[in-house]
Amino acid sequence: MGYIASLMLPASPKTRVLGYVRVSTEQQADTGLSLDAQRTKIAAYAVAMDLELVDVVEDAGFSAKTLARPGLQAALARLESKEADGLVIAKLDRLTRSVRDLGDLVDRYFTGRFSLLSLADSIDTRTASGRLILHVLGAVSQWEREATGERTRDALAQLRASGARLGGAAYGWRHGDAKGEHGRRLFEDVRGELATISRIRELHKQGLSIRAIAAALEAEGHPTKLGGRWHPTMVHRLLRRHADE
């Protein structure tokens, strides 16, 4: 009786998955990466792995350089709404070519919440080995972010040490034609704007409020950097920047 009863137990429910396929414009004629070829591979994989293929979502003519693709965002939203338990792709580069973006997807979706299955890369996060591969890729993504941050900080520190001004030209200066040691355009004075800064400091010493100074600059016709109106926040920012002069 026990043996017969075991045969009558209901089968485990199939894992529900969404397929995702993508081609960029220049890849339309590439039969190995065509939408139909990807669909065929995903459908065959679902049958072989006993998966319930709920739907296949596509992005045609979209690059993998960004995650802001309508098809991908729709697929992720459908995962969030519990329409499926995982995402199936023919190859990892159909999802993204960016290690950084992959790390973001892993953190947000594929670490415990949903499964990711990639045919060509042998990734199936329902298994220990599949999760290991994805975690390694995520670790590489974190390393890339940290290494990029370190290189950026080192480069900025070197530029500051050399006396180079960073960012856009502040009020009182503009980019000139001359270039410095690192090939960056050097700043040069804008006499009219420097005169306005002197006027702001003068009015402040006279005891005028920030709002009153802004009104005075408007009345006297002093131009702002972008040609708009003077606002108290702009005056306050310039006073803070030039407080020690």
Side-chain angles (χ1 to χ4, degrees), residues 14-19 52-55 57 74-88 109-110 113-115:
K14 293 183 178 181
T15 300
R16 299 169 304 149
V17 295
L18 284 170
E52 180 185 344
L53 185 59
V54 176
D55 194 7
V57 185
L76 295 175
R78 292 175 70 175
L79 289 179
E80 293 278 15
S81 64
K82 309 300 183 183
E83 289 185 39
D85 308 305
L87 191 69
V88 181
Y109 297 98
F110 304 119
R113 299 180 63 202
F114 306 106
S115 301

Side-chain angles (χ1 to χ4, degrees), residues 5-204:
S6 65
L7 293 178
M8 297 175 63
L9 290 174
S12 299
K14 293 183 178 181
T15 300
R16 299 169 304 149
V17 295
L18 284 170
Y20 173 74
V21 298
R22 180 192 66 81
V23 290
S24 55
T25 303
E26 64 271 16
Q27 293 167 332
Q28 296 288 347
D30 188 340
T31 57
L33 293 176
S34 71
L35 295 175
D36 287 342
Q38 292 175 60
R39 285 176 178 273
T40 299
K41 291 178 180 178
I42 289 174
Y45 180 81
V47 172
M49 301 300 293
D50 199 27
L51 304 171
E52 180 185 344
L53 185 59
V54 176
D55 194 7
V56 178
V57 185
E58 70 175 51
D59 273 318
F62 287 89
S63 168
K65 294 179 181 179
T66 175
L67 298 179
R69 290 169 253 149
L72 176 59
Q73 292 304 314
L76 295 175
R78 292 175 70 175
L79 289 179
E80 293 278 15
S81 64
K82 309 300 183 183
E83 289 185 39
D85 308 305
L87 191 69
V88 181
I89 49 180
K91 193 177 181 182
L92 201 56
D93 64 8
R94 299 301 87 205
L95 183 63
T96 179
R97 291 181 182 273
S98 166
V99 179
R100 184 188 299 271
D101 286 344
L102 177 61
D104 182 53
L105 288 171
V106 170
D107 291 342
R108 294 170 58 193
Y109 297 98
F110 304 119
T111 300
R113 299 180 63 202
F114 306 106
S115 301
L116 177 64
L117 303 93
S118 176
L119 284 60
D121 308 284
S122 300
I123 293 175
D124 181 347
T125 60
R126 297 176 303 165
T127 68
S129 59
R131 290 191 295 272
L132 175 61
I133 294 172
L134 205 57
H135 287 157
V136 168
L137 292 172
V140 171
S141 173
Q142 181 179 351
W143 170 84
E144 182 189 58
R145 289 195 296 269
E146 293 177 354
T148 300
E150 289 177 357
R151 289 194 297 270
T152 301
R153 286 193 297 271
D154 291 345
L156 291 175
Q158 184 176 0
L159 288 171
R160 290 191 183 98
S162 67
R165 290 182 180 272
L166 304 177
Y171 193 83
W173 294 274
R174 64 186 171 205
H175 288 287
D177 295 328
K179 293 185 178 180
E181 177 184 353
H182 300 280
R184 295 170 63 91
R185 292 170 60 193
L186 299 177
F187 289 90
E188 60 185 21
D189 295 349
V190 179
R191 292 185 179 179
E193 293 180 2
L194 291 177
T196 299
I197 293 172
S198 296
R199 180 60 174 158
I200 290 173
R201 298 179 70 242
E202 177 186 346
L203 293 172
H204 185 251

